[in-house]
């Protein structure tokens, strides 16, 4: 967070200077150098409309700040690694570490560009202000057993890429609309200059803009947007939705969710009845068979998997959401998608394809849980956050938002097998119980501040 405030204070010109200074002999790059051309390749042919004969509910569970290699480095059959590459070309082992990590890694665009290093993926050890090899680590599988059990039982995607090489603010926008384009030539990237983020930000708060060529400006619009999101398509077709998020009372933010930055929701009646707080309401709504057609679930900070959250409860939190849905009448018509909103500063070895503004970013894990998925499915398809949006668009015949992301993205439909009978649900074992989360006091901390 210190770096974010520093960058906002000195301006984007200084950011470029930092990157340029780092580009001499250490494998990092300047803001606009080294990008390959944006790919115009469209996904292979997929239906524009699936109909909703099978899936009546989609639940998107959003965790925090992990790369694929950080959580699934050693998962059998997946594209993981236990070694990493430094800027000198040295191959070093990834260190097995606890889920809780005391380090606080920066993950903004400037850091992404240094780590990416023209696609060589060898700059993680020379990122500005945080040089060293402590980014080269993976979590002990024993500490994230519910995630591994879900991957073994359902589908694990090992080529889900964050939309941008950036942090949480834009990622949560990507997860409700696919990207943050504000014009054909500009998109929002990184966090706003002030907190709370979104439509409650102080007057004068600015955003950072990135162009298709990689140019940056910190004189972007106030972080309260009027662009269309999936909500507009859902409302038009009368498809119900709900966004579960924690209540945050600190100066860093209020209710941390993507719709906090959408003027029509934040300033309209839907804020009161489609934004559900606390986030633990998902457990009750699932258990009582009150799921909406589309749901997003943001965790309390301590359950988020954020590396410095001081907690190991994240995997159990996700497991109990899955268990509540799996043991409800909605199971046979539900798809649960678990993903992590950004890379969190950790090492990953797969270079992302170049698509759009400041992206694609690094890989994050994605789990897809449904009775229509064959056990142990591993998808190597190249996805991005808009792949989730496209699946929802197609499932309810919503049409397109017609931004570049939902048009180009490959839907996650290919992990499903609708020819099979729905599989019965078997509860996922977890260290912390359903009751633990129902009675857990809120931390009143924002899920992320970078």
């Amino acid at each position: 967070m210190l770096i974010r405030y520093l960058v906002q204070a000195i301006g984007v010109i200084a950011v470029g200077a930092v990157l340029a200074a780092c580009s001499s002999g250490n494998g990092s790059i300047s803001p606009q150098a080294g990008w390959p051309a944006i790919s115009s390749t469209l996904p292979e042919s997929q239906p524009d409309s699936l109909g909703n004969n099978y899936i009546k509910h989609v639940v998107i569970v959003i965790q925090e700040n992990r790369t694929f290699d950080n959580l699934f480095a050693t998962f059998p059959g997946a594209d993981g690694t236990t070694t990493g590459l430094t800027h000198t070309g040295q191959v070093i082992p990834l260190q097995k570490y606890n889920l809780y990590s005391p380090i606080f890694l920066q993950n903004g665009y400037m850091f992404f560009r240094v780590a990416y290093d023209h696609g060589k993926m060898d700059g993680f050890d020379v990122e500005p202000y945080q040089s060293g090899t402590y980014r080269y680590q993976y979590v002990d599988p024993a500490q994230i057993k519910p995630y591994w059990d879900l991957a073994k039982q359902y589908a694990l995607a090992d080529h889900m890429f964050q939309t941008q090489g950036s942090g949480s603010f834009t990622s949560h926008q990507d997860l409700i609309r696919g990207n943050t384009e504000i014009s054909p030539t500009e998109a929002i990237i990184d966090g706003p200059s002030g907190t709370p983020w979104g439509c409650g930000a102080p007057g004068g708060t600015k955003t950072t803009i990135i162009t298709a060529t990689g140019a940056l400006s910190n004189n972007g619009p106030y972080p309260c947007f009027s662009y269309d999101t999936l909500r507009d398509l859902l409302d038009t077709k009368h498809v119900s939705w709900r966004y579960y998020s924690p209540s945050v009372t600190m100066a860093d933010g209020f209710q941390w969710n993507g719709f906090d930055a959408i003027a029509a929701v934040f300033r309209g009646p839907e804020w009161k009845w489609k934004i559900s707080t606390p986030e633990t309401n998902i457990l009750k709504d699932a258990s009582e068979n009150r799921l909406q057609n589309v749901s997003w679930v943001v965790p309390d900070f301590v359950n988020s998997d954020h590396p410095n959250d001081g907690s190991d409860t994240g995997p159990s939190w996700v497991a109990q959401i899955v268990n509540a849905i799996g043991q409800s009448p909605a199971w046979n018509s539900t798809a649960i998608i678990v993903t992590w909103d950004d890379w969190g500063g950790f090492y990953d070895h797969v270079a992302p394809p170049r698509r759009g503004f400041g992206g694609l970013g690094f890989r994050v894990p994605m789990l897809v849980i449904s009775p229509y998925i064959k056990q142990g499915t591993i998808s190597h398809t190249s996805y991005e956050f808009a792949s989730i949006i496209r699946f929802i668009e197609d499932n309810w015949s919503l049409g397109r938002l017609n931004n570049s992301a939902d048009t180009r993205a490959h839907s996650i439909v290919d992990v499903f097998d609708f020819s099979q009978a729905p599989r019965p649900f078997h509860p996922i074992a977890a260290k912390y119980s359903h009751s633990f989360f129902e009675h857990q006091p809120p931390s009143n901390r924002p899920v992320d501040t970078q």
Side-chain angles (χ1 to χ4, degrees):
M1 186 162 60
L2 174 61
I3 299 303
R4 178 166 63 85
Y5 292 143
L6 177 61
V7 169
Q8 291 161 351
I10 65 178
V12 173
I13 293 175
V15 174
V18 169
L19 285 170
C22 293
S23 66
S24 57
N26 67 1
S28 56
I29 55 180
S30 62
Q32 299 182 52
W35 269 132
I38 295 175
S39 171
S40 60
T41 303
L42 295 177
E44 60 192 68
S45 178
Q46 290 184 295
D48 289 330
S49 176
L50 303 176
N52 59 348
N53 295 324
Y54 300 97
I55 301 300
K56 309 288 187 183
H57 311 279
V58 174
V59 180
I60 306 164
V61 180
I62 307 166
Q63 295 294 98
E64 287 285 319
N65 290 52
R66 301 284 173 168
T67 61
F68 187 88
D69 283 338
N70 183 252
L71 293 186
F72 291 97
T74 60
F75 192 85
D79 186 4
T81 186
T82 56
T83 61
L85 192 63
T86 71
H87 75 286
T88 62
Q90 182 183 7
V91 178
I92 63 173
L94 302 188
Q95 298 299 312
K96 185 164 67 173
Y97 209 80
N98 298 324
L99 177 63
Y100 163 65
S101 173
I103 60 177
F104 188 87
L105 298 174
Q106 299 296 327
N107 56 359
Y109 178 66
M110 59 182 281
F111 300 93
F112 162 75
R113 292 303 303 274
V114 173
Y116 174 80
D117 188 14
H118 303 262
K120 293 187 289 185
M121 304 295 284
D122 63 359
F124 291 83
D125 62 321
V126 289
E127 294 187 24
Y129 310 105
Q130 292 184 316
S131 60
T133 58
Y134 45 77
R135 296 171 181 270
Y136 296 76
Q137 60 177 256
Y138 70 97
V139 176
D140 182 349
Q143 297 192 1
I144 51 173
K145 189 174 183 299
Y147 295 149
W148 278 49
D149 286 348
L150 287 167
K152 291 172 183 176
Q153 286 295 315
Y154 300 102
L156 172 66
D158 62 5
H159 282 76
M160 163 61 91
F161 294 93
Q162 186 183 347
T163 302
Q164 290 179 319
S166 184
S168 288
F169 177 71
T170 51
S171 291
H172 282 251
Q173 292 300 294
D174 299 333
L175 285 161
I176 62 173
R177 77 179 305 265
N179 63 16
T180 55
E181 293 175 9
I182 56 173
S183 79
T185 59
E186 295 178 321
I188 305 297
I189 199 166
D190 285 340
S193 61
T195 54
W197 291 344
C199 296
T205 298
K206 298 290 186 179
T207 51
T208 299
I209 290 174
I210 185 168
T211 70
T213 61
L216 299 170
S217 167
N218 63 352
N219 196 35
Y222 183 76
C224 187
F225 307 125
S226 59
Y227 50 42
D228 286 348
T229 68
L230 192 57
R231 163 259 184 189
D232 295 277
L233 299 182
L234 294 170
D235 284 355
T236 297
K237 290 293 185 76
H238 305 289
V239 179
S240 64
W241 63 272
R242 184 162 289 157
Y243 200 110
Y244 297 87
S245 65
S247 177
V248 177
T249 57
M250 293 175 61
D252 288 306
F254 296 115
Q255 289 173 301
W256 205 125
N257 68 57
F259 287 108
D260 183 73
I262 304 303
V265 177
F266 185 82
R267 295 172 177 163
E270 288 177 315
W271 186 257
K272 294 182 179 180
W273 58 283
K274 290 192 176 181
I275 306 300
S276 184
T277 302
E279 78 293 345
T280 51
N281 287 342
I282 183 63
L283 300 175
K284 185 175 183 180
D285 285 354
S287 298
E288 297 179 1
N289 199 29
R290 292 202 304 264
L291 283 180
Q292 302 299 294
N293 296 126
V294 178
S295 303
W296 291 265
V297 185
V298 178
D300 188 286
F301 175 76
V302 296
N303 302 325
S304 71
D305 296 331
H306 201 286
N308 70 330
D309 66 6
S311 173
D312 65 347
T313 55
S316 294
W317 161 247
V318 172
Q320 297 308 342
I321 294 172
V322 173
N323 287 342
I325 296 169
Q327 295 169 323
S328 78
W331 168 246
N332 278 357
S333 59
T334 298
I336 306 166
I337 302 160
V338 183
T339 194
W340 284 256
D341 71 339
D342 67 58
W343 62 297
F346 289 108
Y347 179 78
D348 195 80
H349 79 283
V350 175
R354 173 69 171 126
R355 299 176 191 157
F357 302 91
L360 296 179
F362 295 140
R363 289 189 309 168
V364 294
M366 180 175 69
L367 298 162
V368 186
I369 300 107
S370 173
Y372 298 102
I373 292 177
K374 291 187 182 297
Q375 183 170 341
T377 297
I378 298 178
S379 175
H380 305 301
T381 302
S382 180
Y383 301 121
E384 56 185 288
F385 286 153
S387 298
I388 301 171
I389 304 298
R390 179 163 178 165
F391 174 74
I392 294 170
E393 290 172 342
D394 293 348
N395 190 61
W396 278 281
S397 303
L398 302 178
R400 295 272 179 262
L401 287 166
N402 291 321
N403 59 47
S404 65
D406 72 338
T407 302
R408 75 186 177 220
H410 196 295
S411 170
I412 64 169
V413 69
D414 58 357
V415 303
F416 294 86
D417 181 1
F418 294 118
S419 68
Q420 71 177 32
R423 294 171 51 200
F425 180 73
H426 300 287
I428 302 298
K431 180 178 179 180
Y432 298 95
S433 68
H434 182 118
S435 177
F436 171 87
F437 293 106
E438 285 190 322
H439 295 93
Q440 182 186 39
S443 70
N444 290 321
R445 297 181 63 184
V447 178
D448 204 348
T449 57
Q450 60 169 332

